[in-house]
Every structure is written in structure tokens, then in C-alpha cells.
Amino acid sequence: MSKPKIYIDGKEGTTGLQIYERLGKRDDVELLLIDEDKRKDTEERRRFLNAADIVFLCLPDAAAKEAVTLIENDHTRVIDASTAHRTDPDWDYGFAELSKAHRAAIAGSKRVANPGCHASGFISSVYPLVARGVVPEDFAFTCSSLTGYSGGGKKMIAEYEDAERDSRHDSERIYGLNLHHKHLPEMEYVCGLMHAPVFVPIVGDFYKGMATTVMLPGVDAHIVHDTLAEHYANQNFVTVAPTGGDENVIYANTMAGRDSLRLIVCGHEEQTIVTALFDNLGKGASGAAVQNMNIMLGLEETTGLTL
């Protein structure tokens, strides 16, 4: 039996390189590699896109939309790591742990939208609570999310690793101050909310790791914990810590290097927070993309990934 042919369009970017790193060690798939001098050649890309069984799109939104139009057959299946299709009803959302329906849709899908990093933290916490009626759809959600600087791609990585960098990079940086972050439509759409949360992203002076915290005033922490623990029982990639967490502090880079996500519920009867701990390049991007590929190919979903 021939191996599935995989093409990464945009392999040179941070997400593409991480996918390549995970797949390059495997002998159960065949990677199609375009010549470096032709990676922006439309006709050569068209040839590779149509030769693949599964394509990863690791491109800016406009380029991802263009790439889809270059596919001229009905067998090439696409996993898009950009923002372009995450709220498109014709695409399946690639977070298998949300429900049996999500997992089944991914398994049979031709078009999968890979979740965003900050959005993965928010949605993993909020989706089960709304779906199970613990929190209403019109709840006034607020969320902060601390990420390592690799979340900003090559430009931000270079900025933080520059020996002559601004000394203020030693501290955390709050950004997205217009409160129109690109992940907000995804958070609202996937969770079925009546309005978007107030969301504040923060970047810190560490390479990778993410801690996304959702504030739930007036919601009982024990109910939240029990709901999430039941929802994610027996999942490989999403686990729930004991109430209050595994220790009495939370470090944002705890899950760096892993492709799994850990939910931590803290609080009491009147005040609750849920923190999603994961690697922004793992379950927040490339690890999730490879997991989706495994599901689409009918492989063990943990193949080639680190828990």
C-alpha cells in the first residue's frame, strides 16, 4: 500500500517548519518537497497541491485562500493553519476533543480549519461549559492569554532574539489594544456565543508556551471542574488537573515541547478562573495540525506527537 503524500505549502514559516519537524521523522507518510527556488512559483505549487493526498497551508490568509483555488481535483484534502477558514461553515473545525461530532467531521473532511493558538485555550475552556449549560451563551466572558514570543512568527522571534533589542522586552508586553484580535470571531463562532469576549493577549520573554485564562465571576469552581473533567475524560490531548492545579502557581511554559493541553480550574463558589496550559506551537498550531492529519488518515492520533 502506498504511503499518503503530504505537501506543506509554506514550510519555511514557523508553523510549517514545526509540522515538517514532526513529519520528517516518520516513515508512514511521504513528504513532497518543492524546490526552494520554486516555492513561490504558482504553477509549481499547483502541481504539488494537486499531487498530494493531504496539504497543510501555512500561509497568510489571502495566500491560503488562493492556494485552495489551485486545487483542481476532488481527492486532495486540506488542513489550513491560517485564520482564513475558521468561521467558514463549509470547513470543519479541527479540534476533535470538543465533541464526537467534531471528531467524526474531521475524520471524513476534505477541508479542515486548524484552530488558532489563543483561540484553542479559550475554546477548550468555554465550549464545554456553554454546550452543557453551565454558562449561558450571553455570558460576559473576559480572557487574557500569555504566550511565548514564537507565537508572533519569524519577525517577532528575530525581534526578541536580537542582541540589541529594546530592554523593555525583558518584561511582558500587552498588545492587541484595539480589542479586535483576529482570533475573536473564531472564539465567538465555535463556542456559539452571542458576542465576542473581551480578550487581552500578552507576549513574554520566553520562546514557547501559552497560558490562556478565562474569568468566570459568579460561577462555581467545583461545577466548572467537574464539567470539564467529564467532558474531556479519556482524551489523549486534553486533560484536566485536580481542582486548584498541580501546584500553587502556574508557569506559562509548563507544556513547552508537548502537543497536549492541560486545563486548570481555580477558585471557589463565587469566583472561578480556568487556565489552559499548552505549547503555542504544539496543540496551539503544528501539533494540532498533525493530530488532525492522523485522524483524517485513520491513524492513531498520537502518532509522531509528544504528550
Side-chain angles (χ1 to χ4, degrees), residues 29-160:
V29 296
E30 177 186 347
L31 282 174
L32 303 180
L33 301 176
I34 195 169
D35 289 343
E36 278 296 306
D37 60 347
K38 293 185 177 180
R39 61 187 178 86
K40 294 187 178 181
D41 182 293
T42 300
E43 291 308 310
E44 188 70 356
R45 286 175 58 227
R46 186 196 305 272
R47 186 170 73 85
F48 274 79
L49 288 164
N50 285 281
D53 295 301
I54 289 188
V55 167
F56 292 97
L57 301 180
C58 303
L59 304 164
D61 288 5
K65 291 178 180 178
E66 178 198 31
V68 175
T69 69
L70 299 178
I71 298 173
E72 301 164 334
N73 66 76
D74 60 1
H75 77 265
T76 297
R77 305 168 77 183
V78 180
I79 301 170
D80 183 10
S82 81
T83 311
H85 299 104
R86 291 174 185 159
T87 60
D88 187 331
D90 293 329
W91 286 63
D92 295 303
Y93 192 70
F95 202 121
E97 294 81 8
L98 295 185
S99 71
K100 291 180 179 178
H102 282 85
R103 184 179 295 278
I106 295 165
S109 184
K110 291 289 183 69
R111 300 289 184 267
V112 171
N114 209 58
C117 54
H118 294 293
S120 292
F122 179 85
I123 290 167
S124 62
S125 299
V126 171
Y127 180 93
L129 301 178
V130 174
R132 292 170 176 248
V134 174
V135 181
E137 298 169 350
D138 62 351
F139 191 85
F141 285 102
T142 57
C143 175
S144 65
S145 188
L146 175 58
T147 181
Y149 58 78
S150 61
K154 285 188 172 182
K155 183 177 179 181
M156 184 173 284
I157 292 171
E159 179 185 346
Y160 268 79

